[in-house]
Amino acid sequence: MISINTVFSLLAGAIVANAACSATISSLSDVAAAVKCTSITLNGFTVPAGEGLTLSLASGTTVTMAGDILFGNKSWAGPLFTVSGTSVTFNGNGHKFDGGGPFYWDGQGLNGGTTKPDPMMKIKMSGTFENVHVVNSPARVFSVGNDDPLTLTGLVIDNSQGDAPNSMSKGLAAGHNTDGFDVSASDVTISNNQVHNQDDCLAINKGSNIVFTGNSCTGGHGISIGSISSGVTVSGVVVSGNTITNNDQAFRIKTDATSTGSTVTNVTYSGNTATGLRQFGVLIDQSYPSTLGTPGTGVVISDINFVAPVSTLTVNSGADQVAVNCGKGSCTGTWNWSNLKVSGGTSGPITNADVTGFTQ
Ligand SMILES: *[C@@H]1O[C@H](CO)[C@@H](O)[C@H](O)[C@H]1NC(C)=O
Ligand SMILES: *[C@@H]1O[C@H](CO)[C@@H](O)[C@H](O)[C@H]1NC(C)=O
Ligand SMILES: *[C@@H]1O[C@H](CO)[C@@H](O)[C@H](O)[C@H]1NC(C)=O
């Protein structure tokens, strides 16, 4: 007769032996068996239209890409790619995920027109996700919703093809709502990535301890917090050493005029460079969805600072250097902007915020 303990140790041995295996994914039918292993090679293949590639990985798994992943074209809700697991290393080795954007783009993004897979890349893992190229996302690109520390680095998001109008887009950029990184998570570092898109480079909706550093943002709506809805907290955000080129604004914090019970606190900008800003250098606005409309007071924004080294912004003629539109009493704490330099354009309004150290 075999003891219970022996059964347990046999089972434990089987699990360990299994986890140590290596596997290769060359089609969706390989996924279920492969994710039992902690060393996975992801070969290039085309995911059938209307299906997603979902990797629910064991703790400690390493995934290495060895080819490009394409997604068949079909109007559906997505996401196209989902990865989850703790302490995962996902290395793209410079290989691509191609979302087939031109098939979907109609200048309307998520506001109308055809249903688009969104987000394209859903990241629910902790660990490191690196060296992946994402081209032509139908709508938003990376959605980050992990619970444990995550670093996203060495990524290239190239939606430059979406800048041009197409036959559906009525003269507007065909790509729309193509946010680079949407973050609703804590303990996230996004470093040394390149983003060329038509919406926010980064949009933080909630979370704490979020670092955005050494990235380049081209063509979009800049580095954003918000829009902030009710009952959420954003705290401990560091935005440093980024290069922002031809965006609507460099930095924006926008809160819904009707939101209540939310806070945005401890946001620090340093050493960023921005040129070709089309609308604002910095925009902090509590009147969303209006721009510089009647602000709400239900979200408290506090401790928003520009620290050394200086951040240098150049805005286009006709653009506002800085616009701050707070409700009475809802922008508090320290707003020391002595390490912000803006040139070009015209000075904008600063309402209900005690900004110090910055001269328009
Ligand atoms: C999807 O359509 C786009 C635009 O026509 C094309 O570039 C892409 O190659 C197509 N994808 C596949 C997998 O056929
Ligand atoms: C502000 O945020 C930074 C980065 O997350 C953190 O290191 C620092 O302790 C925070 N400061 C306060 C006063 O909470
Ligand atoms: C703002 O920060 C600068 C640089 O750290 C410092 O010299 C200055 O005293 C601060 N101003 C206020 C009003 O705290």
Side-chain angles (χ1 to χ4, degrees):
M1 187 176 154
I2 175 165
S3 80
I4 284 288
N5 279 347
T6 311
V7 171
F8 279 142
S9 56
L10 283 171
L11 278 174
I15 288 162
V16 169
N18 202 17
C21 60
S22 299
T24 299
I25 297 174
S26 304
S27 73
L28 287 191
S29 58
D30 295 333
V31 171
V35 296
K36 298 192 171 90
C37 297
T38 54
S39 175
I40 298 175
T41 301
L42 181 58
N43 280 338
F45 66 97
T46 298
V47 177
E51 296 187 63
L53 170 59
T54 300
L55 303 179
S56 302
L57 302 169
S59 182
T61 296
T62 296
V63 179
T64 309
M65 288 180 76
D68 296 342
I69 300 291
L70 281 69
F71 296 91
N73 292 318
K74 182 182 175 175
S75 175
W76 71 298
L80 296 181
F81 174 74
T82 305
V83 60
S84 58
T86 54
S87 303
V88 166
T89 300
F90 190 108
N91 188 345
N93 273 326
H95 291 291
K96 275 194 293 205
F97 283 80
D98 183 339
F103 173 84
Y104 305 90
W105 292 337
D106 52 16
Q108 299 188 65
L110 302 170
N111 301 323
T114 189
T115 299
K116 300 165 185 78
D118 175 79
M120 178 170 164
M121 311 286 291
K122 191 161 188 159
I123 309 298
K124 302 197 291 186
M125 54 170 258
S126 63
T128 303
F129 189 95
E130 62 190 355
N131 305 331
V132 170
H133 290 212
V134 180
V135 300
N136 294 344
S137 70
R140 294 179 293 184
V141 185
F142 281 100
S143 149
V144 180
N146 62 302
D147 288 325
D148 295 313
L150 170 69
T151 297
L152 297 152
T153 189
L155 310 176
V156 176
I157 295 173
D158 182 3
N159 269 2
S160 55
Q161 222 183 307
D163 286 347
N166 65 14
S167 62
M168 310 275 292
S169 72
K170 303 192 168 107
L172 302 171
H176 195 73
N177 294 139
T178 50
D179 293 6
F181 299 95
D182 284 293
V183 174
S184 293
S186 296
D187 303 323
V188 181
T189 297
I190 302 175
S191 59
N192 303 321
N193 306 291
Q194 297 171 37
V195 179
H196 187 140
N197 67 345
Q198 294 81 31
D199 207 311
D200 294 332
C201 187
L202 167 72
I204 297 172
N205 292 113
K206 62 177 181 184
S208 61
N209 189 23
I210 298 165
V211 176
F212 193 75
T213 187
N215 303 287
S216 70
C217 300
T218 303
H221 297 177
I223 296 169
S224 299
I225 296 174
S227 66
I228 298 296
S229 56
S230 292
V232 297
T233 299
V234 174
S235 67
V237 177
V238 174
V239 175
S240 65
N242 301 289
T243 304
I244 301 146
T245 308
N246 300 340
N247 278 237
D248 282 357
Q249 52 269 319
F251 311 118
R252 173 169 59 172
I253 301 176
K254 59 178 182 181
T255 68
D256 296 349
T258 56
S259 290
T260 55
S262 294
T263 57
V264 176
T265 188
N266 187 12
V267 180
T268 302
Y269 302 92
S270 66
N272 302 286
T273 304
T275 53
L277 300 172
R278 298 180 288 237
Q279 297 179 9
F280 300 94
V282 181
L283 173 62
I284 299 185
D285 193 353
Q286 294 196 314
S287 72
Y288 190 76
S290 297
T291 299
L292 304 183
T294 304
T297 56
V299 179
V300 175
I301 304 179
S302 59
D303 300 327
I304 309 299
N305 291 291
F306 285 84
V307 305
V310 68
S311 290
T312 306
L313 319 184
T314 308
V315 306
N316 292 349
S317 70
D320 281 358
Q321 293 191 348
V322 163
V324 180
N325 180 37
C326 292
K328 243 191 171 57
S330 50
C331 287
T332 66
T334 305
W335 295 52
N336 186 337
W337 292 17
S338 58
N339 281 288
L340 171 65
K341 297 282 171 267
V342 192
S343 60
T346 49
S347 59
I350 296 182
T351 307
N352 291 326
D354 187 14
V355 172
T356 59
F358 175 71
T359 39
Q360 301 257 23

